[in-house]
PDB file of all heavy atoms in Angstrom:
ATOM      1  N   CYS U 175      79.618  34.437 140.944  1.00 88.00           N
ATOM      2  CA  CYS U 175      78.397  35.197 140.710  1.00 88.00           C
ATOM      3  C   CYS U 175      77.311  34.656 141.690  1.00 88.00           C
ATOM      4  O   CYS U 175      76.934  33.488 141.724  1.00 88.00           O
ATOM      5  CB  CYS U 175      77.946  35.029 139.350  1.00 88.00           C
ATOM      6  SG  CYS U 175      76.282  35.793 139.045  1.00 88.00           S
ATOM      7  N   VAL U 177      74.307  35.173 141.772  1.00 81.00           N
ATOM      8  CA  VAL U 177      73.035  34.909 141.038  1.00 81.00           C
ATOM      9  C   VAL U 177      73.048  33.515 140.455  1.00 81.00           C
ATOM     10  O   VAL U 177      72.012  32.858 140.650  1.00 81.00           O
ATOM     11  CB  VAL U 177      72.698  36.059 140.027  1.00 81.00           C
ATOM     12  CG1 VAL U 177      71.444  35.780 139.314  1.00 81.00           C
ATOM     13  CG2 VAL U 177      72.685  37.500 140.742  1.00 81.00           C
ATOM     14  N   CYS U 178      74.040  33.217 139.811  1.00 82.00           N
ATOM     15  CA  CYS U 178      73.968  32.075 138.904  1.00 82.00           C
ATOM     16  C   CYS U 178      75.114  30.974 139.210  1.00 82.00           C
ATOM     17  O   CYS U 178      75.115  29.927 138.744  1.00 82.00           O
ATOM     18  CB  CYS U 178      74.043  32.316 137.393  1.00 82.00           C
ATOM     19  SG  CYS U 178      75.553  32.797 136.792  1.00 82.00           S
ATOM     20  N   GLY U 179      76.134  31.407 140.028  1.00 83.00           N
ATOM     21  CA  GLY U 179      77.216  30.503 140.290  1.00 83.00           C
ATOM     22  C   GLY U 179      78.450  30.462 139.364  1.00 83.00           C
ATOM     23  O   GLY U 179      79.390  29.746 139.616  1.00 83.00           O
ATOM     24  N   TYR U 180      78.407  31.301 138.358  1.00 87.00           N
ATOM     25  CA  TYR U 180      79.603  31.469 137.452  1.00 87.00           C
ATOM     26  C   TYR U 180      80.775  31.847 138.216  1.00 87.00           C
ATOM     27  O   TYR U 180      80.711  32.759 139.153  1.00 87.00           O
ATOM     28  CB  TYR U 180      79.228  32.461 136.290  1.00 87.00           C
ATOM     29  CG  TYR U 180      80.451  32.756 135.475  1.00 87.00           C
ATOM     30  CD1 TYR U 180      80.775  31.978 134.346  1.00 87.00           C
ATOM     31  CD2 TYR U 180      81.248  33.978 135.704  1.00 87.00           C
ATOM     32  CE1 TYR U 180      81.877  32.195 133.665  1.00 87.00           C
ATOM     33  CE2 TYR U 180      82.357  34.177 134.870  1.00 87.00           C
ATOM     34  CZ  TYR U 180      82.685  33.257 133.872  1.00 87.00           C
ATOM     35  OH  TYR U 180      83.654  33.620 133.001  1.00 87.00           O
ATOM     36  N   CYS U 193      78.608  39.263 134.148  1.00 89.00           N
ATOM     37  CA  CYS U 193      78.598  37.839 134.236  1.00 89.00           C
ATOM     38  C   CYS U 193      78.019  37.315 132.802  1.00 89.00           C
ATOM     39  O   CYS U 193      76.988  37.640 132.302  1.00 89.00           O
ATOM     40  CB  CYS U 193      77.551  37.398 135.269  1.00 89.00           C
ATOM     41  SG  CYS U 193      77.434  35.567 135.250  1.00 89.00           S
ATOM     42  N   THR U 195      76.983  34.516 132.026  1.00 81.00           N
ATOM     43  CA  THR U 195      75.857  33.529 131.986  1.00 81.00           C
ATOM     44  C   THR U 195      74.515  34.480 132.314  1.00 81.00           C
ATOM     45  O   THR U 195      73.614  34.120 131.657  1.00 81.00           O
ATOM     46  CB  THR U 195      76.080  32.446 133.164  1.00 81.00           C
ATOM     47  OG1 THR U 195      77.382  31.933 132.973  1.00 81.00           O
ATOM     48  CG2 THR U 195      75.092  31.484 133.204  1.00 81.00           C
ATOM     49  N   CYS U 196      74.484  35.232 133.341  1.00 81.00           N
ATOM     50  CA  CYS U 196      73.297  35.775 133.725  1.00 81.00           C
ATOM     51  C   CYS U 196      73.190  37.288 133.533  1.00 81.00           C
ATOM     52  O   CYS U 196      72.198  37.951 133.889  1.00 81.00           O
ATOM     53  CB  CYS U 196      72.884  35.455 135.254  1.00 81.00           C
ATOM     54  SG  CYS U 196      74.003  36.304 136.385  1.00 81.00           S
ATOM     55  N   LYS U 197      74.328  37.931 133.109  1.00 82.00           N
ATOM     56  CA  LYS U 197      74.244  39.298 132.702  1.00 82.00           C
ATOM     57  C   LYS U 197      74.335  40.296 133.955  1.00 82.00           C
ATOM     58  O   LYS U 197      74.111  41.466 133.912  1.00 82.00           O
ATOM     59  CB  LYS U 197      73.205  39.712 131.780  1.00 82.00           C
ATOM     60  CG  LYS U 197      73.049  38.768 130.526  1.00 82.00           C
ATOM     61  CD  LYS U 197      74.260  38.851 129.721  1.00 82.00           C
ATOM     62  CE  LYS U 197      74.024  37.986 128.464  1.00 82.00           C
ATOM     63  NZ  LYS U 197      74.989  37.257 128.106  1.00 82.00           N
ATOM     64  N   PHE U 203      79.020  39.805 142.524  1.00 91.00           N
ATOM     65  CA  PHE U 203      80.023  38.803 142.730  1.00 91.00           C
ATOM     66  C   PHE U 203      80.530  38.866 144.253  1.00 91.00           C
ATOM     67  O   PHE U 203      80.605  39.982 144.698  1.00 91.00           O
ATOM     68  CB  PHE U 203      81.131  39.008 141.637  1.00 91.00           C
ATOM     69  CG  PHE U 203      80.775  38.457 140.293  1.00 91.00           C
ATOM     70  CD1 PHE U 203      79.894  39.025 139.512  1.00 91.00           C
ATOM     71  CD2 PHE U 203      81.442  37.156 139.926  1.00 91.00           C
ATOM     72  CE1 PHE U 203      79.617  38.500 138.235  1.00 91.00           C
ATOM     73  CE2 PHE U 203      81.132  36.587 138.705  1.00 91.00           C
ATOM     74  CZ  PHE U 203      80.272  37.273 137.824  1.00 91.00           C
TER      75      PHE U 203
HETATM   76 FE1   FE P 301      75.805  35.177 136.835  1.00 75.12          FE
END
Side-chain angles (χ1 to χ4, degrees):
C175 173
V177 177
C178 74
Y180 173 84
C193 176
T195 308
C196 71
K197 313 294 184 223
F203 279 76

